[in-house]
Amino acid sequence: MRTEVAIIGAGPAGMLLGHLLARAGVDATIIETRSEEYVASRIRAGILEHSTVRLLDEAGLGKRLRAEGQEHRGIHLQWPEERHHLDFVDLIGRSVWVYGQTELQKDLIAAGHPVTYEVTGTALHDLTTGRPYVTFTDAGGTARRLDADVVVGCDGSFGPSREAVPVAARRTWQKTYPYSWLGVLADVAPSTDELIYAYHPHGFALHSMRSARVSRFYLQVPAGTELADWPDQRIWDELALRLGHGQDGWKLISGPITSRSVLPMRSFVQTPMRHGRLFLAGDTAHIVPPTGAKGLNLALADVALLAPALVALLREHNPTLADGYAEAALRRVWRSTHFSWWMTTMLHTGDDPFDERLKLAQLQWVTSSTAGATGLAENYAGPPS
């Protein structure tokens, strides 16, 4: 098998990269360890930055997003007895969109770029030469070799691409937070017009949504929490408490919970994002806690840089953009990593009373200062296109 760009991973980053390369006339082959059904149904991020929406529009993938997604002007920040709305459009002239990763994945699959699913034993070879290749076993049990000019790892935390960078050539930074998120999906209309981020002595809570009929909720829980300890009624009771049911007449509407999971909270960055003819993108190179809604947007921002770099490298034999990819991507990665850490530490509770007072002071400043609100808006909605 021969291709110009071998892409490992068929999540949004890998699929969008394949789509953009194909539009530019570059041959790309995508392989994926999971089934198409699994990849298409993964419940992940739901907030798209202004620049992400613009990228999808330019790629011809924004039609259903514009028709079925929800444009939000901002978010609500809350703590006991107080709720404040930050209007991003008024502050910086940019909005965000609510559109679940599952919906974006459907759009990418419908775009038609072929994927070889359910491969096993993927390994990367000769990455520092001009003739890299990938080996794997297909779903039928046949061993395959895929020769390429470039390999791109979009296979996340547990794929082989991250580990293909030699230990001596890589450096990692990471932080594990002392709490997790209990995330639930419920068949109930949202009780809010825009997301509510709530600080509460019992722990952080978030009211999000996926559509006009489906809501997404998160609760801060201790690391190591078992789902069995959180029956439906306990979840709804805690959400009502932390989100302020009854405050100023606001009511939380409950409904059937259709899925739940416990999400660990961590930050991770691996450098470099390029090793020879291997380029890393998305969760393969960086992970952020979901508080700042940066993960999916960062992955697609990587692809927005990488696609034209590979086109220039392979079509024009111009390596300038490819050589600068890692440095350019990491500037945004570290900015988003800081913002995600800042949002997380400001909104989640801990054991130190002094720190808790500082968090309240920070929330009060952000919601009462134009400068503070503008800084949050700039980071949350993302840079201008």
Side-chain angles (χ1 to χ4, degrees), residues 61-312:
L61 296 167
K63 183 177 180 180
R64 196 164 71 92
L65 159 63
R66 293 286 184 177
E68 300 180 19
Q70 303 172 57
E71 185 175 15
H72 284 191
R73 292 180 64 96
I75 61 171
H76 299 280
L77 279 181
Q78 177 178 306
W79 59 95
E81 308 304 327
E82 294 200 41
R83 181 182 294 172
H84 299 265
H85 183 250
L86 301 187
D87 192 309
F88 298 163
V89 177
D90 284 349
L91 290 164
I92 60 170
R94 300 192 294 279
S95 61
V96 296
W97 284 73
V98 174
Y99 194 64
Q101 180 173 317
T102 50
E103 301 308 312
L104 175 58
Q105 190 71 24
K106 291 175 187 176
D107 296 340
L108 289 162
I109 291 172
H113 197 96
V115 179
T116 300
Y117 290 99
E118 299 182 72
V119 308
T120 57
T122 304
L124 289 64
H125 310 271
D126 291 354
L127 298 172
T128 56
T129 74
R131 306 167 77 98
Y133 65 97
V134 179
T135 56
F136 60 92
T137 301
D138 66 21
T142 301
R144 301 287 187 183
R145 170 172 167 154
L146 176 61
D147 290 282
D149 297 310
V150 167
V151 178
V152 180
C154 300
D155 46 339
S157 303
F158 304 107
S161 299
R162 179 189 291 179
E163 297 300 319
V165 180
V167 173
R170 69 180 189 245
R171 184 176 180 186
T172 60
W173 290 263
Q174 53 190 319
K175 176 181 178 60
T176 301
Y177 297 85
Y179 35 72
S180 298
W181 274 13
L182 171 62
V184 301
L185 203 63
D187 281 341
V188 60
S191 304
T192 179
D193 57 340
E194 295 180 340
L195 276 70
I196 302 172
Y197 285 79
Y199 170 91
H200 191 275
H202 279 214
F204 167 76
L206 171 61
H207 186 337
S208 183
M209 63 281 291
R210 286 296 177 265
S211 71
R213 299 177 301 278
V214 178
S215 296
R216 183 77 162 144
F217 301 94
Y218 298 97
L219 288 167
Q220 177 187 344
V221 294
T225 290
E226 298 289 339
L227 288 175
D229 295 332
W230 284 85
D232 289 10
Q233 192 57 54
R234 183 184 180 190
I235 291 172
W236 287 118
D237 289 346
E238 200 62 29
L239 284 168
L241 175 67
R242 299 187 195 184
L243 290 170
H245 178 83
Q247 179 177 314
D248 295 327
W250 180 82
K251 295 183 179 180
L252 174 68
I253 304 170
S254 62
I257 293 176
T258 57
S259 72
R260 70 194 72 205
S261 59
V262 175
L263 313 173
M265 301 282 283
R266 64 190 180 112
S267 298
F268 175 91
V269 179
Q270 176 171 307
T271 60
M273 290 177 63
R274 178 186 181 181
H275 175 68
R277 286 288 175 127
L278 169 65
F279 295 81
L280 305 182
D283 287 359
T284 309
H286 43 77
I287 296 170
V288 292
T291 324
K294 295 293 105 180
L296 175 60
N297 292 289
L298 264 186
L300 300 188
D302 289 347
V303 170
L305 290 172
L306 187 54
L310 295 182
V311 172

Side-chain angles (χ1 to χ4, degrees), residues 115 309 355 385:
V115 179
D355 287 347
S385 301

